[in-house]
Structures are given as C-alpha cells and as structure tokens.
C-alpha cells in the first residue's frame, strides 16, 4: 500500500442486529490490514443482548468499544458523529451492522485511494445477498459497477446526483477533512453520507469508488417499504436544497427502470417487469410526497415516513 496507515478505526451503528452482524465482526477480525478500534454505537441494549452478551463480545474481540443509546436518541448523522468522537485515527471506516465483507482485503482496498491527498471519502462495492431476487441483484450492479473511479466537483454537470453518490454501508473518511467540514449533518432523516459527500466536492476534494472493497449488502423491501424509504429520501432532499437543488434524481431512476426491463427480458423473466413497475411506482410516489412533506399534515408525514421517531 502506498499510504502510511498505522490503523483505521471501524464505526458501526447497531440496531436489532442479526447473525450478519456476527459475520461482519468475524470478517473484520480476519482482515489483513491492521485495524484499530471497533466502535459500536448500539441503539437499545436489549436487542444486542438478545443476540450476544456484551461480555462475550468484549472477550472475543480486542479493542472493542460499545456505547448504548436510546432509540429516541438515534439520528443518522448525530449518531455517527458520536461514534467518530471515540476515534483518534487519521482514517475511519463506516459500516452498517448488516453488511458482510467478502474477503480479507476489504479495509486495505477501501483505504488505498487515500494515497492521493485529494481524496477525502472512499466507498465500496455492494453485492446482493443470495436469494434477494433478480431485480435487487441488478440494482446493486447498476449502483455499484465493477470499475473503480474518482469523482470531483467538476463532474456534477455531467454526472448529476451520481457525482456525490456514496454510501455509509461501507465507506472510509479522511479525518482531517471530516473535522474541517464539521462532520455529518447533526440532524437528518436520511442521506447523511451524500450530504457530506457534496460538501467534499464543493471544497475541492475527491470521492473515490473502490470497486475492490466488496461487501454483501441488500434489502428485501416490499413495494410499501420502498414507498416509506423513498419518502424519507424525498424529505432529505427537500431539507437540504444547498445539496440537491438543481440536481434531478428522477432521470437516474428512469434510466435504472429502462435498464432493469432490458435485463429482465434477457434473463428470460419478463413477468418480473410487473413487480419492477409496482416497486418503481412506490418509490416515485414516496419520493414525490417526501419532497413536498411541508404541505402534508403531521399525521400524514408520520404515516408515510420509515423513520417515524425522527418526527417526535
């Protein structure tokens, strides 16, 4: 590696963890690149204890730090900033508790782009889990292609929202820049990673997509769940016009639908286009209403939102 990394701390928000969380910790323990602390910010102690005791975790993994918060304290940006406050490494890695590294090189490959001092953020490639379905599999490949790349502010006119697309499912940050830019927005319903990524580009730094940093991560959302999730996405776009104004997300969605239809036909599963249209319609309806959430009643907003505690 062309970069002097003594260690990188790993920060993982945890909520209602499953066996994937234990697989994640196991794979982190096997990483060839030396890592520092593993910092867990766990929401509600009872859910973690239902899977594994805190003492077992402490006995099994070195340099493990666990902090518990109440559900009402959780926020996508604030909680991650809280995790960062326990790190003093020059680079830190954000992971979610439901992603699983595909190999022992995840951390190494995620950190390698930092050899370029202009790179402030890197993010990895996500693969769909087994049995997730053809549509989700294609969507992961669409959003996370096999070729790595670097994006700068000058790419926004051509790439649009994709220029500052990044995901805290698997991402790494240069701490010096993170502190200088004030970290993640302290209160947000969603999208803390992309809001920060846009600031990075606006300040002249770059974002690296590290395709060799691979994790398994996918969802099994129903159409209604897609509606709720995209409502929150729309809310985040409405609340941060400095990031998203003048950037259309709809055109990227249409491109995904078209390419998905072609893929399903080529795979010999054209009947799944009906499911694709249903899910896409739910996504658009949720996003459309989310962007206009201020015109809705509070009761309607809470009913539409996936993150209902945000509104309390």
């Amino acid at each position: 590696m062309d970069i002097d990394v003594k260690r990188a701390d790993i920060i993982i928000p945890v909520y209602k963890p499953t066996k994937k969380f234990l697989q994640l910790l196991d794979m982190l323990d096997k990483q060839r690149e030396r890592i520092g602390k593993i910092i867990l910010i766990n929401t509600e102690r009872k859910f973690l204890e239902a899977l594994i005791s805190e003492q077992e975790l402490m006995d099994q993994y070195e340099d493990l730090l666990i902090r518990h918060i109440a559900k009402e304290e959780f926020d996508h940006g604030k909680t991650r900033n809280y995790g960062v406050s326990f790190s003093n490494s020059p680079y830190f890695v954000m992971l979610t508790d439901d992603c699983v590294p595909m190999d022992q090189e995840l951390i190494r490959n995620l950190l390698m782009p930092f050899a370029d001092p202009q790179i402030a953020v890197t993010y990895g490639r996500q693969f769909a889990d087994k049995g997730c379905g053809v549509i989700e599999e294609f969507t992961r490949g669409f959003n996370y292609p096999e070729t790595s790349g670097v994006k700068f502010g000058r790419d926004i006119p051509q790439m649009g929202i994709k220029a500052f697309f990044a995901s805290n499912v698997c991402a790494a940050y240069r701490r010096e820049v993170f502190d200088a830019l004030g970290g993640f927005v302290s209160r947000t319903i969603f999208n803390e990673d992309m809001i920060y990524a846009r600031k990075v580009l606006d300040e002249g730094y770059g974002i690296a997509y590290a395709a060799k940093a691979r994790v398994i991560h996918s969802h099994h959302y129903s159409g209604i769940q897609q509606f709720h999730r995209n409502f929150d996405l729309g809310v985040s776009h409405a609340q941060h016009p400095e990031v998203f104004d003048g950037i259309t997300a709809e055109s990227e969605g249409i491109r995904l639908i078209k390419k998905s239809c072609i893929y399903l036909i080529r795979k010999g599963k054209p009947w799944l286009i009906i499911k694709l249209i249903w899910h896409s319609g739910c996504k658009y309806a949720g996003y459309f209403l989310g962007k206009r959430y201020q015109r809705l009643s509070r009761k309607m907003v809470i009913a539409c939102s996936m993150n209902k505690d945000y509104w309390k």
Side-chain angles (χ1 to χ4, degrees):
M1 182 183 288
D2 297 320
I3 178 173
D4 180 20
V5 178
K6 294 181 179 179
R7 70 188 189 286
D9 292 336
I10 315 295
I11 300 162
I12 310 171
V14 181
Y15 181 56
K16 293 185 178 180
T18 66
K19 290 182 179 179
K20 285 185 179 180
F21 171 61
L22 300 182
Q23 294 170 13
L24 165 60
L25 292 180
D26 184 55
M27 286 302 296
L28 289 177
D29 198 43
K30 295 177 180 177
Q31 292 296 299
R32 290 201 177 100
E33 188 66 33
R34 184 185 170 211
I35 62 177
K37 291 179 287 188
I38 298 177
I39 301 163
L40 307 180
I41 307 300
N42 176 65
T43 301
E44 300 293 346
R45 185 190 299 263
K46 63 184 179 182
F47 295 122
L48 179 62
E49 291 284 343
L51 178 70
I52 186 171
S53 74
E54 186 171 332
Q55 189 59 53
E56 284 181 89
L57 285 174
M58 299 299 291
D59 291 343
Q60 191 169 350
Y61 301 102
E62 294 183 8
D63 295 320
L64 186 70
L65 176 67
I66 305 175
R67 291 293 181 269
H68 300 281
I69 61 173
K71 188 178 180 183
E72 57 269 20
E73 294 178 276
F74 176 83
D75 178 90
H76 283 275
K78 180 181 177 182
T79 298
R80 287 177 167 86
N81 286 336
Y82 181 53
V84 175
S85 72
F86 295 104
S87 170
N88 58 5
S89 62
Y91 308 94
F92 62 87
V93 175
M94 284 284 168
L95 298 171
T96 56
D97 65 7
D98 60 345
C99 78
V100 180
M102 292 185 68
D103 54 43
Q104 297 171 309
E105 303 293 336
L106 172 69
I107 303 302
R108 177 181 177 82
N109 289 328
L110 199 56
L111 295 177
M112 283 183 69
F114 288 127
D116 180 348
Q118 285 297 104
I119 299 301
V121 180
T122 75
Y123 68 102
R125 187 179 182 188
Q126 297 181 31
F127 287 81
D129 205 350
K130 294 178 181 178
C132 72
V134 183
I135 297 173
E136 177 73 3
E137 179 183 327
F138 180 79
T139 301
R140 291 291 149 185
F142 179 86
N143 288 326
Y144 303 94
E146 62 182 356
T147 304
S148 298
V150 176
K151 302 173 288 188
F152 287 93
R154 61 178 175 265
D155 297 311
I156 294 177
Q158 180 183 359
M159 296 183 68
I161 199 168
K162 279 287 190 180
F164 49 97
F165 175 78
S167 174
N168 268 340
V169 166
C170 175
Y173 295 83
R174 189 185 295 274
R175 180 64 183 270
E176 182 181 14
V177 177
F178 187 83
D179 288 345
L181 298 184
F184 299 119
V185 59
S186 61
R187 177 164 167 75
T188 180
I189 192 170
F190 200 51
N191 251 1
E192 82 293 334
D193 37 24
M194 289 183 65
I195 294 167
Y196 176 78
R198 176 63 191 264
K199 285 197 293 184
V200 162
L201 296 188
D202 289 345
E203 291 296 321
Y205 295 99
I207 300 167
Y209 169 55
K212 290 184 179 180
R214 305 177 302 162
V215 296
I216 298 171
H217 178 264
S218 54
H219 296 293
H220 300 266
Y221 288 145
S222 66
I224 300 302
Q225 288 173 317
Q226 295 282 16
F227 172 89
H228 292 308
R229 185 175 189 273
N230 281 269
F231 179 86
D232 290 353
L233 178 65
V235 169
S236 74
H237 284 200
Q239 290 180 337
H240 293 278
E242 78 284 1
V243 175
F244 298 104
D245 266 13
I247 305 291
T248 59
E250 289 91 339
S251 58
E252 190 67 15
I254 292 170
R255 192 166 76 92
L256 172 58
I257 293 169
K258 288 179 178 179
K259 287 187 173 291
S260 297
C261 286
I262 295 171
Y263 179 76
L264 291 173
I265 291 170
R266 287 177 177 171
K267 292 286 285 186
K269 297 185 178 183
W271 61 86
L272 288 177
I273 292 176
I274 298 173
K275 179 180 179 180
L276 172 67
I277 292 172
W278 162 243
H279 278 217
S280 299
C282 290
K283 288 179 181 180
Y284 179 73
Y287 180 74
F288 181 88
L289 287 175
K291 285 200 74 173
R292 295 156 179 82
Y293 80 97
Q294 290 172 314
R295 305 179 193 176
L296 305 177
S297 68
R298 179 178 175 80
K299 184 176 181 181
M300 177 65 76
V301 167
I302 294 173
C304 291
S305 179
M306 177 173 277
N307 297 295
K308 301 183 187 305
D309 286 331
Y310 174 83
W311 305 99
K312 294 180 179 179

